[in-house]
Amino acid sequence: MRIDIIPANSFLGIAKDYIDMNLVRNGFKEIKSYAFNGTKLNTLILRDNRNLHHIQEDAFEGATGPSYLDVSSTALSSLPSKGLSQVRSLKATSAFALKSLPPLEGLAELLEAELTYPSHCCAFHTWHRKQRENASRKFCDLSEAGMEPTDDGMNLIIDINFQYADLEFGCHSSPFVMCTPKPDAFNPCEDLLGFPFLRCLTWLITVFAVAGNLAVLVILLISHYKLTISRFLMCNLAFADLCMGLYLMLIAFMDFNSRHEYYNHATSWQTGPGCSTAGFLTVFASELSVYTLTVISIERWHTITNAMHINKRLRLHHVAAMMAAGWGFSVLVALLPLVGVSSYSKVSICLPMDIDTMASQIYVMAVLILNVVAFLVVGFCYICIYLSVHNPEHSTRHGDTKIAKRMAVLIFTDFLCMAPISFFAISAALRMPLITVSHSKILLILFYPINSLCNPFLYTIFTRAFRKDVCRLLSHCGCCDANSDFYRSQTLASQHTCTNKVADKKPHSLSFYAHHVKMKGCFLSKGAT
């Protein structure tokens, strides 16, 4: 006969004394309320009941004990919040569906736990330690207040500690539940973001990154102008940086929802679709952003150095092919951790930090080295641009200085984003970590999204061309008509001035080259005219 459930009062009257109940490898799926009513349980072993998926809240009502509970290798997704107050030893190994713990107040007597997930040990470590420290502090306060010694000359607190060592009332100790497996260096006992100031900073960066890149995409996509190379590249860059903003938003929301109880959400978050989605977004966004910045730098350098050779300039279909390759590369790099090459579930912030296998280590190292190479290419291109258009025989113009400063800002932000991340990440990939995961979160929040935060402003929003697009779009709604007319007249004047300069064959200054690039939609001048 097959038993699917254990009904109420199943063991009523079975014995008057404490018993050890061994229900190993049975076929039941559920334990009903009052199932153990009238029993005195010393131990209850439910191990290897692989179909057992639910124990009702009142299953232990009317029972005494158990002091030892084993639910290993079961399909339980939760434990009852009532009836476990006398459990001193809990074993739940290979219980992979048990991703959250009951309220810890219901496990007040627990001394030893052997669990499946390391994050659950953080719960006992922090909560139970606080409970015992509060109790021991009362005795310590009495001791420090100068309690009179007893007749035999011993202090009462010392006598308690000596006779009842299990109470652990040492004034300088921090008692906690003995729990395994212990959290590793990748998942310390802390909230997802760990530090309060990091939460505020994450939300601030998220708002500006999402709002800035959304504004760029909306303005560039709904404007009724011809799709130029610069607009096409700016749209790709804004989309990549928007994905980075969405990643930060996911992390910030998860941190908000799991605050002070991340141990109960860690497993479901890191092994679920949420962390996989966040990891894919951040790697895809990072690689596409770096790739797009590299293409922008190369395209600007090529256009500047061939300003007088129209037939040598890149066309839109050339750049589109380059970006198609970049999208394919970015998607591939982001997909690899989802198919076993490294993993997004290693750490709470869902970055591919798993280097346990040779393939994973090569993957992480290759991505980091490619990003460093991309930064070097960007820096080289901007230096070449400035050197090619700067004429040392003439006095430095205001426009030259302004453009040089903006180039320096672009290179500095790229360096600020890449250098610290790459340095510490490469050392970690070589199994020589220089900082902890807790400190790396600060580094990643402060430096990792810098480009996504700054790019929409440096490359688009702060440029004259973007302001002109905004005014023209607003003019269709009856707003900003005066500014729209002003920008229109300025464009006509610039075109007339450019024609005269070409006819006069005057020496070419930086402003001349900048104007040529701007007319081709390159926005080199970054707002300088």
Side-chain angles (χ1 to χ4, degrees):
M1 182 177 66
R2 183 180 180 84
I3 300 176
D4 290 330
I5 62 171
I6 297 181
N9 303 313
S10 294
F11 308 100
L12 185 62
I14 191 172
K16 294 183 179 181
D17 297 325
Y18 279 92
I19 60 172
D20 297 325
M21 190 172 292
N22 193 337
L23 301 176
V24 177
R25 296 188 185 90
N26 288 278
F28 53 84
K29 300 178 181 179
E30 186 177 8
I31 299 178
K32 294 291 187 179
S33 298
Y34 299 94
F36 302 101
N37 182 33
T39 60
K40 294 181 178 180
L41 297 172
N42 185 33
T43 64
L44 176 60
I45 302 177
L46 301 173
R47 186 177 64 248
D48 293 328
N49 288 288
R50 300 188 183 279
N51 296 322
L52 178 59
H53 60 83
H54 185 55
I55 299 177
Q56 292 190 359
E57 285 292 299
D58 297 322
F60 294 98
E61 280 294 314
T64 303
S67 60
Y68 175 83
L69 177 63
D70 186 351
V71 292
S72 300
S73 301
T74 62
L76 289 172
S77 58
S78 63
L79 294 175
S81 58
K82 297 187 294 184
L84 303 180
S85 59
Q86 298 180 46
V87 174
R88 297 174 66 86
S89 180
L90 173 65
K91 187 174 183 179
T93 58
S94 299
F96 299 106
L98 189 62
K99 296 183 178 181
S100 62
L101 297 174
L104 300 183
E105 291 80 2
L107 296 167
E109 297 297 323
L110 190 67
L111 296 175
E112 183 180 1
E114 189 175 350
L115 307 174
T116 304
Y117 299 109
S119 59
H120 289 161
C121 288
C122 294
F124 298 119
H125 186 274
T126 56
W127 179 82
H128 215 87
R129 181 176 62 186
K130 289 179 181 178
Q131 300 300 314
R132 293 193 175 189
E133 282 179 348
N134 290 338
S136 64
R137 191 177 297 115
K138 295 178 182 179
F139 286 88
C140 294
D141 290 343
L142 291 174
S143 177
E144 292 172 0
M147 177 175 285
E148 294 293 332
T150 57
D151 293 338
D152 58 2
M154 292 186 66
N155 184 283
L156 179 61
I157 302 299
I158 298 176
D159 188 43
I160 290 176
N161 280 323
F162 177 75
Q163 296 186 38
Y164 304 99
D166 289 342
L167 292 178
E168 293 182 295
F169 282 134
C171 295
H172 302 289
S173 64
S174 296
F176 54 88
V177 175
M178 299 300 296
C179 183
T180 57
K182 295 182 179 180
D184 57 18
F186 287 97
N187 293 282
C189 293
E190 61 184 20
D191 286 340
L192 197 154
L193 288 178
F195 303 93
F197 83 93
L198 209 54
R199 293 190 180 96
C200 300
L201 194 60
T202 301
W203 280 108
L204 185 66
I205 294 174
T206 298
V207 169
F208 278 98
V210 172
N213 288 292
L214 268 180
V216 170
L217 278 175
V218 169
I219 296 299
L220 292 180
L221 291 176
I222 68 174
S223 60
H224 302 289
Y225 298 104
K226 179 182 177 181
L227 182 63
T228 60
I229 291 177
S230 67
R231 289 178 182 274
F232 176 72
L233 290 175
M234 291 306 125
C235 285
N236 280 272
L237 183 61
F239 181 79
D241 293 335
L242 177 62
C243 289
M244 180 64 75
L246 295 177
Y247 158 76
L248 290 174
M249 185 178 292
L250 281 174
I251 295 296
F253 270 119
M254 186 60 201
D255 175 73
F256 177 79
N257 291 329
S258 63
R259 189 173 181 180
H260 303 314
E261 286 190 353
Y262 182 67
Y263 57 82
N264 254 347
H265 302 267
T267 302
S268 57
W269 163 249
Q270 291 178 220
T271 61
C275 194
S276 297
T277 302
F280 179 89
L281 279 175
T282 186
V283 173
F284 170 78
S286 176
E287 296 311 304
L288 184 60
S289 179
V290 169
Y291 185 90
T292 307
L293 286 172
T294 306
V295 172
I296 289 173
S297 304
I298 294 174
E299 192 273 337
R300 286 178 172 174
W301 168 76
H302 185 271
T303 302
I304 285 293
T305 55
N306 295 279
M308 302 305 297
H309 302 86
I310 299 178
N311 59 327
K312 291 185 179 181
R313 292 179 186 173
L314 293 175
R315 306 300 179 188
L316 182 59
H317 65 274
H318 296 144
V319 178
M322 295 169 66
M323 289 309 304
W327 274 71
F329 169 77
S330 301
V331 169
L332 176 63
V333 172
L335 280 176
L336 286 177
L338 298 178
V339 296
V341 182
S342 193
S343 174
Y344 292 130
S345 62
K346 188 73 171 180
V347 293
S348 59
I349 53 178
C350 308
L351 292 176
M353 291 187 177
D354 184 5
I355 54 171
D356 293 339
T357 65
M358 181 61 68
S360 300
Q361 191 174 13
I362 292 174
Y363 163 79
V364 173
M365 284 294 297
V367 171
L368 293 172
I369 292 173
L370 284 175
N371 288 345
V372 172
V373 171
F375 164 74
L376 295 176
V377 171
V378 170
F380 174 79
C381 287
Y382 277 117
I383 292 172
C384 288
I385 289 172
Y386 182 72
L387 293 177
S388 65
V389 299
H390 182 66
N391 189 352
E393 295 180 358
H394 302 279
S395 59
T396 303
R397 302 188 181 190
H398 174 70
D400 295 355
T401 305
K402 193 171 184 180
I403 293 173
K405 288 180 179 179
R406 289 194 178 275
M407 287 181 179
V409 170
L410 293 176
I411 297 174
F412 177 73
T413 55
D414 285 342
F415 177 79
L416 202 60
C417 179
M418 292 301 306
I421 300 296
S422 299
F423 176 74
F424 289 108
I426 290 175
S427 68
L430 294 174
R431 303 183 189 278
M432 296 182 293
L434 300 177
I435 57 175
T436 64
V437 171
S438 299
H439 293 150
S440 70
K441 292 178 182 178
I442 301 176
L443 188 71
L444 290 167
I445 296 300
L446 286 177
F447 296 99
Y448 189 53
I450 281 180
N451 275 348
S452 299
L453 177 65
C454 297
N455 286 341
F457 298 94
L458 293 177
Y459 281 84
T460 310
I461 294 177
F462 289 164
T463 64
R464 182 184 180 87
F466 183 81
R467 295 195 296 270
K468 180 173 65 177
D469 286 346
V470 172
C471 287
R472 286 184 176 179
L473 286 173
L474 291 176
S475 67
H476 293 301
C477 302
C479 305
C480 207
D481 289 332
N483 286 337
S484 178
D485 293 337
F486 170 76
Y487 283 123
R488 191 178 295 111
S489 63
Q490 287 289 92
T491 301
L492 293 174
S494 297
Q495 292 174 347
H496 179 69
T497 303
C498 176
T499 304
N500 290 339
K501 284 185 177 181
V502 173
D504 293 341
K505 302 291 185 179
K506 291 182 179 180
H508 303 310
S509 68
L510 177 61
S511 299
F512 172 80
Y513 284 100
H515 176 72
H516 266 277
V517 177
K518 182 178 176 183
M519 294 301 293
K520 296 302 295 179
C522 232
F523 298 135
L524 170 69
S525 60
K526 313 299 292 174
T529 58

